[in-house]
Amino acid sequence: MGKSGSGKTSMRSIIFSNYIARDTRRLGATIDVEHSNVKFLGNLVLNLWDCGGQEAFMENYFASQRDRIFKNVEVLIYVFDVESRDWEKDLHYYQSCLEAILANSKEARIFCLIHKMDLIPEHQRDQIFEQRVTELQKRSEPLTIQAFQTSIWDETLYAAWSKIVHCLIPNIRVLESHLDNFCRICDADEVVLFERTTFLVIATAATISHQDHHRFEKIKSAATLLNIEAAKKHFKKLEASR
């Protein structure tokens, strides 16, 4: 969810359809709700609902489609345009979504993406992000939210979506335990499990610490631009230079 033009369809296309950022400029506005069934990790299917953010659609979601849109929701991802000129209206629709979630899907997890952060001068990003998150946390009570600053032009988008998808995977703790054992048996510095089609990070295990906290998402970027085989070579170069 999120207002029209906030970047919902662009990020969906980058993550799940392997678009590169510059190609999203040709995407049109979403009309009503677009449904996507994405195969994931073999036999899992993610049912994605990309909801158009025009005012007429948003009002309709809460008036006549409330039960259909907000029933059996596992995750609500609300996208905020950081440069929105009508922040209060954005918050109004956001809170309407939370009310509908509380009524229909009390166990749903809430993620807020403060998007298009590339439009903000770098030295101001953290401060503006913290201000937005503080207000969102107050407006979200009694629900707990997790927030990310994102942009389609850097690794932050993949980092956010990896964490979102991570919470949807059944028995993820068992998978992480096996990966940790595998890493230690191999005496590896680090082992990373990527999802094959999206290249999202599913789980990691490491025996040493790393300074580059976005190293996995950089590999995803390389896979998109150069193809997966080239990304493997890129990874080896990164390891050699470390």
Side-chain angles (χ1 to χ4, degrees):
M1 302 289 289
K3 76 168 189 176
S4 181
S6 61
K8 304 183 299 298
T9 302
S10 294
M11 66 171 63
R12 186 195 76 187
S13 298
I14 288 172
I15 296 295
F16 295 103
S17 299
N18 290 321
Y19 274 57
I20 58 176
R22 65 173 179 267
D23 289 343
T24 62
R25 293 168 180 162
R26 67 173 186 263
L27 295 171
T30 300
I31 304 301
D32 200 11
V33 181
E34 290 188 8
H35 302 87
S36 302
N37 294 322
V38 181
K39 288 187 177 181
F40 204 80
L41 285 180
N43 60 355
L44 291 180
V45 177
L46 298 182
N47 298 306
L48 302 176
W49 291 32
D50 183 359
C51 301
Q54 295 91 327
E55 284 192 35
F57 294 142
M58 295 290 271
E59 294 294 342
N60 190 40
Y61 301 150
F62 305 126
S64 62
Q65 298 191 65
R66 186 184 180 99
D67 291 344
R68 185 178 76 90
I69 296 290
F70 297 99
K71 189 174 183 180
N72 297 323
V73 173
E74 292 288 338
V75 165
L76 169 67
I77 304 166
Y78 203 99
V79 182
F80 293 92
D81 181 346
V82 70
E83 287 203 319
S84 174
R85 297 182 180 180
D86 203 345
W87 177 245
E88 282 302 319
K89 180 169 286 187
D90 293 348
L91 289 174
H92 166 71
Y93 284 131
Y94 169 66
Q95 288 185 289
S96 296
C97 286
L98 296 186
E99 292 170 5
I101 286 290
L102 279 171
N104 293 276
S105 303
K106 292 183 179 179
E107 301 301 317
R109 299 185 185 221
I110 312 299
F111 293 93
C112 296
L113 304 188
I114 312 302
H115 197 46
K116 301 186 180 181
M117 291 297 290
D118 56 283
L119 301 178
I120 303 297
E122 189 171 355
H123 68 280
Q124 297 179 7
R125 291 175 189 173
D126 288 344
Q127 179 183 358
I128 291 175
F129 175 70
E130 292 301 327
Q131 291 172 350
R132 295 284 196 274
V133 172
T134 298
E135 184 166 12
L136 286 172
Q137 287 173 332
K138 291 179 181 177
R139 299 285 189 117
S140 301
E141 294 178 352
L143 294 171
T144 301
I145 67 169
Q146 190 169 359
F148 302 95
Q149 49 178 311
T150 56
S151 167
I152 65 173
W153 299 99
D154 60 32
E155 305 86 29
T156 55
L157 184 65
Y158 301 111
W161 274 88
S162 290
K163 289 182 173 63
I164 291 169
V165 170
H166 180 273
C167 80
L168 292 171
I169 299 172
N171 301 319
I172 186 64
R173 300 305 173 204
V174 174
L175 181 61
E176 290 174 331
S177 176
H178 289 327
L179 196 68
D180 185 65
N181 289 337
F182 177 72
C183 181
R184 296 182 186 282
I185 290 170
C186 295
D187 195 24
D189 290 345
E190 187 169 37
V191 176
V192 187
L193 176 62
F194 292 99
E195 200 282 324
R196 182 172 57 185
T197 56
T198 62
F199 234 67
L200 292 174
V201 177
I202 301 303
T204 67
T207 57
I208 64 173
S209 60
H210 296 269
Q211 299 300 317
D212 185 353
H213 299 297
H214 290 294
R215 59 194 180 280
F216 308 136
E217 293 77 28
K218 291 175 182 176
I219 300 302
K220 159 62 182 175
S221 298
T224 302
L225 294 172
L226 306 173
N227 73 44
I228 290 179
E229 285 304 316
K232 291 177 181 177
K233 294 178 183 178
H234 182 65
F235 184 80
K236 290 179 180 178
K237 290 180 181 178
L238 290 178
E239 288 297 300
S241 64
R242 194 167 49 134

